[in-house]
């Protein structure tokens, strides 16, 4: 209808202007022929104008800026295709192109784009293997690169798993990617086809400097709920992480956040595609608190005030002799620096300190029990990237002995083993092999150890070896396979005994587990 009215209007105005000469006998034929030619030209221009406006969404009420972003914009992950549909100015009247540029330049704001996706950002935020306690910095750098230009960025992920496990000791399986409990693992052979975890997250740009984040997690394999893997207590959805952050690296190198987040202690990353190293299982923390950070020129400094008591993971300081988190009396500090190494490499070195680690409980040890005193811990770590190669190493240890790593009853034969500091370390390497496909095939090998007791104690150590393969079928879709071998079976609960008759311990020095695992990690 708009096309018809516009065409008739242009035609009527043209006829009115040409009227005085239209009836001159000697010039009538020439005038009419010229008039028809002009009308045809105007109708063609009108057709092209309408086609252009329709392609930009102007006639349907959609802002033209969303359909035709700035020339030269190549887009980021989750925004592929931006700029591909831009109509060159030469294909439309100059005044229309100018008006569209004005709208695109002044109306293309964060408020105009309400909800969006960013696959690369989502994978980095939801990945459980790498960037574990760097989520705030990941957000800040994504803001700089334009990946968080929407008011709200939605993220989601799911990890599905097939595995076969074999142990040389009845019901004692040392693979910590699922809880080693007899409620789920019976005999000496077990197998699974399961959902290991699923996540849904939202990142909100409240303003240029204020960002809010919330992540929901479903993790029946590693849930602290009771019962089997199909029990409703283990099939709950929780708010795993949530915070509000003030910061924008374009304006200042300083940022701050309050909420439920990973504590800045150690690296805790792995080169394996799926299985976390024992350094993560030993010391990676999740807690309520407030974080302040500084990032510029490769230097990253973070300090976090942590809620006291027993936190969600790997942080515990007593509050009036209890585990009640009613006082902010714990903290962690981390400093690391990344420097370039040659033309296509880098080296990261860092160190951390935590005032209250989880290894402060007395005998018998049990998750989240109160402590008589705090037990600090420190960590040093490094990661080197050289072309297709990557290497990492980390060492973590408490400064004091773990009281619960010794048996206090002198009549118990296990009392001969003295209390020791708790220690964990890892070394690993990864190589990205070019197989002539769109992505590299990652080959990885890693060793890590958790040492909880004195030499020769049944709970002395648990070692883990992982050989892995992984390949990205598409951005955000990683398929992987791993072979895992563990030596020793040292569950945190009652590791030195206290739950069995006669003061025995269920930890076993010679227990071994062999695992074949295959899976897919998919994010959007």
């Amino acid at each position: 209808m708009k096309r018809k009215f516009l065409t008739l209007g242009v035609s009527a105005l043209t006829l009115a202007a040409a009227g005085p000469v239209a009836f001159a006998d000697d010039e009538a034929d020439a005038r009419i022929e010229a008039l028809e030619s002009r009308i045809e030209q105007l109708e063609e221009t009108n057709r092209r104008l309408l086609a252009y406006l329709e392609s930009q969404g102007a006639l349907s009420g959609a802002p033209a800026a969303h359909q035709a972003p700035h020339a030269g914009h190549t887009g980021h992950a989750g925004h592929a295709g931006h700029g591909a549909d831009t109509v060159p100015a030469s294909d439309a009247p100059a005044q229309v192109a100018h008006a569209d540029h004005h709208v695109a330049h002044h109306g293309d704001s964060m408020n105009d784009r309400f909800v969006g996706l960013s696959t690369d950002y989502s994978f980095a935020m939801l990945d459980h293997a790498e960037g574990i306690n760097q989520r705030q910095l990941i957000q800040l750098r994504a803001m700089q690169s334009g990946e968080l230009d929407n008011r709200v960025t939605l993220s989601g992920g799911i990890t599905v798993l097939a595995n076969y496990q074999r142990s040389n000791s009845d019901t004692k399986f040392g693979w910590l990617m699922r809880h080693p409990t007899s409620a789920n693992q019976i005999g000496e052979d077990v197998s699974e086809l399961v959902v290991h975890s699923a996540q849904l997250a939202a990142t909100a740009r409240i303003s240029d400097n204020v960002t809010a984040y919330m992540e929901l997690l479903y993790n029946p394999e590693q849930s602290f709920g009771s019962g089997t893997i199909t029990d409703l207590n283990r099939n709950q959805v929780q708010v795993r992480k949530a915070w509000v952050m003030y910061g924008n690296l374009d304006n200042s190198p300083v940022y701050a956040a309050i909420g439920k987040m990973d504590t800045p202690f150690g690296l805790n990353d792995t080169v394996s595609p799926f299985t976390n190293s024992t350094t993560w299982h030993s010391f990676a923390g999740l807690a309520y608190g407030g974080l302040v950070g500084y990032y510029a020129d490769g230097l990253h400094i973070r300090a976090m005030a942590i809620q006291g008591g027993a936190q969600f993971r790997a942080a515990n300081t007593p509050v009036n002799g209890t585990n009640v988190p009613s006082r902010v009396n714990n903290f962690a500090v981390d400093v690391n620096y990344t420097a370039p190494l040659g033309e296509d490499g880098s080296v990261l070195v860092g160190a951390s300190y935590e005032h209250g680690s989880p290894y402060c409980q007395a005998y018998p040890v049990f998750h989240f029990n109160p402590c008589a005193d705090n037990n600090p811990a420190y960590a040093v770590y490094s990661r080197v990237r050289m072309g297709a190669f990557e290497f990492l190493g980390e060492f973590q240890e408490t400064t004091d002995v773990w009281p619960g790593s010794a048996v206090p009853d002198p009549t118990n034969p296990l009392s001969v083993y003295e209390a020791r500091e708790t220690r964990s370390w890892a070394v690993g390497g990864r190589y990205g092999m070019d197989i002539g496909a769109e992505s590299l095939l990652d080959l990885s090998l890693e060793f890590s150890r958790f040492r909880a007791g004195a030499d020769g104690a049944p709970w002395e150590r648990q070692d883990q070896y992982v050989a892995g393969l992984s390949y990205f079928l598409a951005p955000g879709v990683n398929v992987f396979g791993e072979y895992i071998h563990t030596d020793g079976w040292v569950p945190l609960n009652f590791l030195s005994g206290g739950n069995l008759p006669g003061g025995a311990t269920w930890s076993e020095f010679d227990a071994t587990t062999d695992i074949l695992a295959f899976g897919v990690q998919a994010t959007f």
Side-chain angles (χ1 to χ4, degrees), residues 74-148:
T74 57
H76 302 275
H79 300 278
H82 278 203
D85 297 329
T86 304
V87 178
S90 60
D91 288 348
Q95 64 271 24
V96 176
H98 176 77
D100 179 70
H101 172 77
H102 178 83
V103 173
H105 190 70
H106 297 282
D108 188 16
S109 68
M110 184 174 61
N111 293 331
D112 292 334
R113 298 185 301 275
F114 187 72
V115 178
L117 304 174
S118 178
T119 302
D120 287 350
Y121 167 77
S122 296
F123 194 94
M125 289 295 291
L126 301 181
D127 184 22
H128 69 278
E130 298 186 56
I132 290 169
N133 58 27
Q134 304 283 328
R135 311 300 186 187
Q136 289 79 21
L137 181 59
I138 290 172
Q139 281 188 333
L140 292 167
R141 298 184 72 174
M143 290 163 56
Q144 278 191 312
S145 66
E147 295 177 76
L148 297 181

Side-chain angles (χ1 to χ4, degrees), residues 144 208-209 246-254:
Q144 278 191 312
D208 285 343
N209 297 315
Y246 182 88
N248 188 326
L249 295 180
D250 287 333
N251 300 330
S252 171
V254 178

Side-chain angles (χ1 to χ4, degrees), residues 159-181:
T159 300
V160 293
L161 194 64
N163 66 77
Y164 172 80
Q165 306 177 49
R166 182 172 180 82
S167 174
N168 68 347
S169 184
D170 189 22
T171 72
K172 294 181 179 180
F173 296 88
W175 192 36
L176 297 178
M177 294 310 291
R178 47 118 59 253
H179 280 172
T181 168

